[in-house]
Amino acid sequence: MTWTAPEATRTEGPLTGGERETLTAFLAFYRSTLLQKCAGLTGSRLAEQTVEPSSLTLLGLIRHMAKVERTWFREGLAGLSYPSMYDAEKGKDADFDDLSPDRAADDYARLVEEIRLADEAAAGVPLDTTFTRRGTVYSLRTVYVHMIAEYARHIGHADLLRERLDGATGA
């Protein structure tokens, strides 16, 4: 049986409230939007390149965001160390380029798990908490803003990729 990305409900958060509630709600919204853009597609469709000459795919976005979640929350904020998520010998864009439709279910599950672990790493940590990554000091607040921007940029890509795959459009 062929794996198909599950249906995803977009998380709608409060539009009022404190800073943390706003940041976490917007990040949850964009995370769930990416999953929603992939819903109903097989691994082969997720891996399909539809916007020539770009090699960008929805599966590549899934893999990239799993890496970004881990990098900023678990490695950066929590200070943990992990081996590279993707084959470093394949280059810095292996998350985008070294993919296989046969591993799509695992890649999708990895993103969902990295989101859960990222939320766990940030739970209860003050927004002003800082850490140093590659010689630069970041706060958790900055990480949330960066992640919201990262997802927003890639949701734009996902919109175009999905529309080219099957004509699906949406908010």
Side-chain angles (χ1 to χ4, degrees), residues 107-124:
D107 289 331
Y108 186 96
R110 179 183 295 137
L111 173 58
V112 171
E113 180 67 0
E114 286 298 335
I115 289 169
R116 185 188 72 74
L117 293 168
D119 286 345
E120 188 176 281

Side-chain angles (χ1 to χ4, degrees), residues 38-80:
C38 297
L41 296 175
T42 64
S44 294
R45 296 304 308 265
L46 290 169
E48 197 172 319
Q49 297 174 1
T50 61
V51 185
E52 301 293 332
S54 174
S55 63
L56 193 62
T57 65
L58 288 168
L59 185 56
L61 290 175
I62 288 169
R63 291 165 49 89
H64 176 67
M65 292 313 300
K67 179 179 82 174
V68 172
E69 292 276 359
R70 178 189 283 182
T71 297
W72 285 105
F73 287 102
R74 296 203 294 145
E75 293 178 351
L77 178 66
L80 302 173

Side-chain angles (χ1 to χ4, degrees), residues 3-4 43 46 59 100-110:
W3 177 83
T4 301
L46 290 169
L59 185 56
S100 168
D102 296 335
R103 294 189 316 261
D106 293 335
D107 289 331
Y108 186 96
R110 179 183 295 137

